[in-house]
């Protein structure tokens, strides 16, 4: 039962975080941030979001910027989901480099 609620909240947070990043990156051309996965702790206090950043060369710089603005992102998220969640989870962001890994494997297979 608890896993179902965790998954539902994770999908909600993923959708809302994607919308927040889409609005923020609309001003800066050439950068795209996708929220590939969100995992929520069993007590719903911590949400870990995995981000796919294009172009991947700027990934570390953008991740530092996102973690520096973590409180404002959490505040924006709280305004969006305040009717669905009582407590807004603490956010943690990591780079999801699975697409780069898949591309590297494809390049090796094509050689």
């Amino acid at each position: 039962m608890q896993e179902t609620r965790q998954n539902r909240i994770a999908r909600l947070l993923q959708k809302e975080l994607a919308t927040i990043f889409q609005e923020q990156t609309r001003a800066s051309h050439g950068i795209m941030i996708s929220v590939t996965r969100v995992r929520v702790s069993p007590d719903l206090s911590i949400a870990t979001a995995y981000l796919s950043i294009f172009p991947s060369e700027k990934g570390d710089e953008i991740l530092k910027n996102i973690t520096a603005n973590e409180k404002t992102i959490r505040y924006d998220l709280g305004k969006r989901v305040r009717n669905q969640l009582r407590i807004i989870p603490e956010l943690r962001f990591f780079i999801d480099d699975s697409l780069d890994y898949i591309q590297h494997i494809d390049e090796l297979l094509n050689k």
Side-chain angles (χ1 to χ4, degrees):
M1 184 68 182
Q2 184 69 14
E3 270 188 35
T4 305
R5 184 162 187 236
Q6 278 179 288
N7 292 336
R8 209 171 65 227
I9 290 172
R11 283 193 307 267
L12 172 70
L13 295 177
Q14 181 178 2
K15 179 182 156 227
E16 295 300 333
L17 282 172
T19 306
I20 289 170
F21 288 133
Q22 183 181 21
E23 290 173 357
Q24 289 180 353
T25 58
R26 191 169 285 154
S28 59
H29 299 286
I31 296 174
M32 186 173 81
I33 301 173
S34 301
V35 182
T36 57
R37 185 173 11 138
V38 174
R39 302 252 170 142
V40 181
S41 64
D43 63 348
L44 307 177
S45 65
I46 299 172
T48 305
Y50 295 92
L51 307 175
S52 177
I53 300 172
F54 180 80
S56 59
E57 296 83 32
K58 296 182 180 181
D60 293 330
E61 175 188 342
I62 292 172
L63 186 65
K64 285 180 187 176
N65 189 11
I66 288 172
T67 54
N69 295 321
E70 191 173 299
K71 290 183 181 181
T72 58
I73 294 170
R74 185 177 179 203
Y75 176 75
D76 289 343
L77 183 66
K79 287 195 305 186
R80 292 173 177 270
V81 298
R82 67 176 175 233
N83 295 328
Q84 288 102 344
L85 296 177
R86 190 172 6 150
I87 297 172
I88 307 304
E90 177 185 330
L91 298 174
R92 295 185 181 160
F93 297 102
F94 294 100
I95 292 180
D96 183 13
D97 57 355
S98 61
L99 293 177
D100 294 333
Y101 181 73
I102 291 170
Q103 183 180 11
H104 177 68
I105 295 296
D106 283 342
E107 289 173 1
L108 290 177
L109 290 174
N110 289 334
K111 286 185 181 179

